[in-house]
Amino acid sequence: MTTIDTVTPAVPIAHQAAAQLRRDIIDGTFAPGSKLKMDVLQSLYGFSSSPLREALSQLAHEGLVRADARRGFRVTPISVPDFRDIAESRLLIDPAALEKSIDAGDEEWESSVVASYYRLEKVEQRLGDGPVVLDDQWAELHKQFHMTLIAACPSERLRQYSSRLFDQAERYRRASALHRQRPRNKSREHEAIKDATLERDADRACELLRQHISRTLQDVENWIRSAT
């Protein structure tokens, strides 16, 4: 009997560089507005200039980096108008993607929604009170939960736009969590969205998702205004 070995294709170096840069921009390793110097990035990550430039261009396309023909690349600055634009875009795209996902999703998708929520809830129970958004595992599972909700949406573009906007918003969530005056029980918000989704109540699920995004918008706006 002949056996065929399956080999996992190697991740392109530029994609590896983009993944590491994206993570470090989102978690605040590189401050908003800071210059991304090529020699520093080469020393930090061990990549050559070619994949790093490709990675920076990709992140500029995603909205996390800004390019200047004469000054190179900088981390996108943060501001109330910028985050409002991000949140308002999410309010248009995410509920539309969720509605389509609820309409098209099968039992396997339902199971994945339950599983992603369960993993997120277990981490939240372990962390207890405090700004859970600052925990890297929670942040990863949080995005997984939101992306799983819309995974059955037939529109690849809606799913891609949602993922990019989520990453852009994550920088703000992490920064504002450090200064939040009152705790916010995201677990209950996620549970309510999950339940309405599994009940195939698209109107309620989408409205709960809008409220979820709007609360984050208010938290971030309060933080930016208090810090300026």
Side-chain angles (χ1 to χ4, degrees), residues 18-153:
Q20 293 187 38
L21 264 170
R22 184 185 299 109
R23 177 200 62 207
D24 289 341
I25 289 171
I26 288 172
D27 71 14
T29 299
F30 295 108
S34 62
K35 186 173 178 60
L36 295 167
K37 297 180 180 179
M38 188 59 63
D39 58 340
V40 173
L41 298 179
Q42 287 178 290
S43 176
L44 183 62
Y45 298 119
F47 297 117
S48 64
S49 60
S50 180
L52 281 170
R53 289 188 184 281
E54 186 176 341
L56 287 165
S57 296
Q58 178 181 333
L59 295 180
H61 182 66
E62 295 177 10
L64 294 173
V65 167
R66 288 189 179 172
D68 186 300
R70 292 176 298 177
R71 299 180 181 178
F73 295 90
R74 291 183 181 274
V75 178
T76 301
I78 59 176
S79 67
V80 169
D82 181 58
F83 188 71
R84 179 168 285 278
D85 186 37
I86 293 169
E88 289 177 350
S89 297
R90 292 188 69 203
L91 287 168
L92 291 173
I93 290 173
D94 287 17
L98 178 57
E99 183 177 10
K100 290 178 180 294
S101 191
I102 290 172
D103 183 60
D106 56 15
E107 290 183 358
E108 184 176 351
W109 166 74
E110 288 184 356
S111 297
S112 66
V113 170
V114 172
S116 64
Y117 171 76
Y118 175 78
R119 289 191 292 268
L120 181 61
E121 183 186 34
K122 294 297 289 184
V123 171
E124 289 181 349
Q125 290 175 353
R126 172 177 62 81
L127 293 173
D129 296 333
V132 295
V133 72
L134 299 177
D135 181 86
D136 289 337
Q137 185 183 13
W138 181 91
E140 180 180 352
L141 292 174
H142 182 221
K143 182 175 183 179
Q144 285 180 11
F145 172 70
H146 278 272
M147 295 303 102
T148 302
L149 287 172
I150 65 169
C153 171

Side-chain angles (χ1 to χ4, degrees), residues 186-202:
K186 281 180 172 282
S187 180
R188 291 181 182 175
E189 295 175 28
H190 292 143
E191 182 178 21
I193 296 169
K194 180 262 297 180
D195 289 345
T197 297
L198 296 177
E199 290 166 6
R200 305 291 178 141
D201 187 343

